[in-house]
Amino acid sequence: MADVTEYENYINGEWVKCRSGETFENRNPAQTDEIVGIFQQSRAADVNDAVAAAKEAYKKWRLVPAPKRAEILLRITDRLVKEKERCSRDMTREMGKILKETRGDVQEAIDLGYYMVGEGRRQLGYTTPSELPNKFNMCIRQPLGVCGLITPWNFPMAIPSWKMMPALVLGNTIVIKPATDTPLSVYNYVKIFEEEGLPRGVVNIVTGSGRNVGEPLMTHKDVSCVSFTGSTEVGRRISEACAADFKHCHLEMGGKNCIFIMNDADIDLAVEGALWGAFGTTGQRCTASSRLIVHRDVIKEFTDKLVARANGLKVGNGLDETVDMGPAINESQINTVLNYIDIGKNEDGAKLLCGGERLTGGEYDKGFFTMPTVFGDVTSDMRIFQEEIFGSVTSITECASFEDGIGLCNNTAYGLSASIYTRDVNKAFAAMRDVYTGIFYVNAPTIGAEVHLPFGGVKDTGNGHREAGIAGLDVFSEWKSVYIDFSGKMQKAQIDNN
Ligand code: UN1
């Protein structure tokens, strides 16, 4: 215990303990006897301090020329390149996903960082003619003020970067509350911000629970924008809380993503995609491929091959480079997954094809490990077809035709990501048009979004916003339309030009 580091909040450019002095432990989900760090169990008073600092810092930060703001973000991102391996290892220790994936997570923050650096010299508004003589019209982006960011544990650095970088390049200041399971990754990121000279108060980190930190942050009167990634249930609460004060509110929530495998697909490629889409990040992605909708002509071949591959995956500690799949994030999550496995086993007609249990014995007893699990003969009325599991479980559903398959893809409350495997370009384009999601892939699984395209979903997945890409700027800025009349006369729009 003695050599476990205690990490502090970062408020107004100082590392400080929370006011109550309470702390919580961050444990390695692959090896729960390892404490990764001790973090501040903050409360409303700490949130108030951080928001006050961010509000004060905003006065100056919004006036720093955007290219200058971007220069700091460039230095931060260059540093992150150098710190990638350390940050990836820390992330595997606190989150569990395998090193290859945590390196990808940090890389996603690097990619997004460089992309947003470019926005320092863009943030394009537009000019447009006026309807009146000697008058000039344009619209520009304006920052919002203090942004409250509430980030999840499954992409502990990538998702914070999706929110922090656009917010900062636009001239906002930030209070971020990382997930309690993965505060170290955000700490590592923010530490670089500090070391690379971001002015005090521009970024503040307050760790603690949703109730103690998230709630006071999202209801704080000086917070202008809340950006949240997490469950649909929590997102709904945040949406209601923000509505009272008309705060900008960006929500990125659940998914029940499907891969649709047509009878003309390259089956080996589809199996590869399904395996990666379903069991990458132990299935703990909003974009995970948790429904596999397969044309009946190829369902047997696909199922046999997928089950063989799933059985061959090596589950274990993500720091071991030979491991394919790490643990679930925590006790409660593994219990949710095991509960859904039970639900699947008890569904009338569903067949457990592989996995279906917690892994025990030896090192497994120290962590939250489950087997990669595949259910067959799943129909659209079943809970395992409809509900987000967020774990190493996927399901196979038979379809009779292209139209039937599209109907099944859309038969869900969520709308984040979907994909089709087919060699028929007509089918690929029709599916792209008719499947109702924010992200769509052809001949690739439902995961693998790149940072310069909008990320987000429809229906219960989102509330109409997107992050990353140019669309990500909309969350953290407001349009201002500017009219400059140089006629020297009192001109009246809509009236003088009749
Ligand atoms: C998430 O699932 O929460 O496309 C984010 C992907 C990653 C991001 C996923 N680039 O799967």
Side-chain angles (χ1 to χ4, degrees):
M1 269 300 287
D3 55 358
V4 174
T5 307
E6 178 175 336
Y7 296 91
E8 295 175 321
N9 288 334
Y10 186 59
I11 299 178
N12 205 21
E14 311 279 342
W15 294 98
V16 290
K17 291 192 194 306
C18 67
R19 284 177 181 242
S20 73
E22 290 168 82
T23 56
F24 66 92
E25 291 171 353
N26 174 12
R27 284 179 184 261
N28 181 342
Q31 209 176 302
T32 51
D33 54 2
E34 182 194 344
I35 301 175
V36 176
I38 305 283
F39 287 83
Q40 304 302 307
Q41 186 68 273
S42 316
R43 292 179 186 278
D46 308 296
V47 172
N48 292 343
D49 290 346
V51 173
K55 188 181 175 190
E56 189 56 32
Y58 176 66
K59 291 181 191 161
K60 287 198 183 138
W61 182 245
R62 74 181 185 91
L63 299 177
V64 174
K68 289 277 167 220
R69 292 196 293 254
E71 278 172 26
I72 304 178
L73 304 188
L74 175 62
R75 290 206 300 273
I76 290 166
T77 308
D78 283 344
R79 255 298 289 292
L80 191 55
V81 172
K82 298 202 182 90
E83 309 286 346
K84 180 173 169 182
E85 191 58 22
R86 177 180 63 86
C87 291
S88 307
R89 288 187 168 271
D90 274 353
M91 194 187 294
T92 293
R93 282 172 60 228
E94 70 172 346
M95 191 271 163
K97 64 184 172 184
I98 60 173
L99 263 179
K100 215 183 287 169
E101 293 190 34
T102 52
R103 289 182 189 125
D105 192 308
V106 178
Q107 186 59 44
E108 202 158 340
I110 292 168
D111 296 344
L112 195 283
Y114 286 138
Y115 179 80
M116 286 299 164
V117 165
E119 286 303 330
R121 290 186 184 269
R122 264 193 310 266
Q123 299 184 25
L124 302 178
Y126 55 93
T127 63
T128 185
S130 169
E131 64 187 45
L132 292 166
N134 296 321
K135 196 177 167 199
F136 182 88
N137 294 351
M138 63 181 168
C139 58
I140 55 171
R141 288 187 187 273
Q142 295 261 282
L144 303 172
V146 179
C147 298
L149 312 180
I150 303 174
T151 56
W153 46 261
N154 66 336
F155 278 81
M157 194 178 279
I159 292 181
S161 81
W162 295 359
K163 301 184 193 302
M164 293 171 77
M165 287 290 173
L168 292 174
V169 82
L170 285 157
N172 301 282
T173 56
I174 288 172
V175 177
I176 183 166
K177 184 207 103 59
T180 45
D181 284 304
T182 56
L184 181 57
S185 294
V186 178
Y187 169 89
N188 283 339
Y189 197 34
V190 169
K191 187 84 185 135
I192 293 176
F193 282 64
E194 180 203 19
E195 289 169 5
E196 294 304 325
L198 194 77
R200 64 193 323 204
V202 173
V203 166
N204 304 274
I205 170 172
V206 182
T207 55
S209 68
R211 175 168 307 184
N212 292 336
V213 178
E215 284 272 348
L217 185 59
M218 74 201 194
T219 50
H220 198 296
K221 65 174 181 10
D222 290 332
V223 170
S224 316
C225 169
V226 176
S227 176
F228 165 79
T229 300
S231 72
T232 299
E233 184 194 344
V234 174
R236 184 166 282 120
R237 258 214 47 61
I238 293 179
S239 175
E240 286 163 5
C242 289
D245 294 323
F246 311 113
K247 290 188 202 314
H248 266 223
C249 173
H250 158 251
L251 306 171
E252 184 50 51
M253 304 171 284
K256 193 70 187 173
N257 316 289
C258 64
I259 300 183
F260 177 14
I261 296 131
M262 270 301 290
N263 52 355
D264 65 348
D266 175 336
I267 298 300
D268 290 330
L269 189 67
V271 166
E272 201 67 44
L275 199 73
W276 172 228
F279 303 120
T281 323
T282 318
Q284 300 173 123
R285 292 196 189 213
C286 318
T287 50
S289 310
S290 56
R291 298 182 299 146
L292 309 172
I293 292 160
V294 189
H295 194 285
R296 66 174 164 217
D297 294 351
V298 292
I299 196 163
K300 176 147 182 13
E301 180 189 354
F302 175 83
T303 303
D304 291 349
K305 287 182 167 168
L306 180 71
V307 168
R309 292 294 306 279
N311 275 327
L313 290 177
K314 183 171 170 189
V315 181
N317 189 324
L319 288 174
D320 173 349
E321 303 261 10
T322 66
V323 161
D324 299 305
M325 192 177 95
I329 185 72
N330 57 32
E331 185 80 48
S332 135
Q333 194 58 32
I334 196 172
N335 287 336
T336 302
V337 172
L338 294 171
N339 186 36
Y340 271 108
I341 289 173
D342 274 346
I343 290 169
K345 285 177 179 167
N346 294 322
E347 296 270 21
D348 204 13
K351 215 185 283 159
L352 178 67
L353 300 174
C354 69
E357 272 172 57
R358 185 171 184 156
L359 285 158
T360 52
E363 291 298 301
Y364 286 139
D365 286 341
K366 289 191 183 171
F368 307 117
F369 296 98
T370 50
M371 295 173 172
T373 298
V374 181
F375 282 100
D377 293 344
V378 172
T379 51
S380 59
D381 54 328
M382 294 180 186
R383 286 185 63 190
I384 54 169
F385 184 94
Q386 292 293 345
E387 296 174 22
E388 184 175 47
I389 300 175
F390 226 67
S392 63
V393 182
T394 193
S395 62
I396 299 177
T397 301
E398 181 178 305
C399 76
S401 63
F402 178 73
E403 292 70 25
D404 184 26
I406 296 289
L408 285 163
C409 289
N410 284 329
N411 187 342
T412 166
Y414 298 106
L416 182 54
S417 182
S419 97
I420 187 168
Y421 279 78
T422 178
R423 290 183 171 108
D424 180 339
V425 68
N426 296 354
K427 296 239 167 23
F429 270 85
M432 176 193 75
R433 182 192 60 200
D434 295 340
V435 175
Y436 199 53
T437 54
I439 304 172
F440 190 77
Y441 294 88
V442 177
N443 293 330
T446 55
I447 69 179
E450 301 175 29
V451 301
H452 46 301
L453 278 76
F455 183 96
V458 300
K459 302 201 274 188
D460 285 4
T461 296
N463 64 340
H465 297 282
R466 295 289 184 274
E467 50 197 339
I470 294 171
L473 300 179
D474 292 336
V475 172
F476 301 104
S477 62
E478 201 117 56
W479 285 108
K480 180 180 275 181
S481 298
V482 184
Y483 301 92
I484 300 146
D485 192 323
F486 56 98
S487 70
K489 296 187 199 126
M490 171 61 225
Q491 301 198 85
K492 301 191 188 91
Q494 293 90 38
I495 293 169
D496 288 357
N497 68 339
N498 241 324

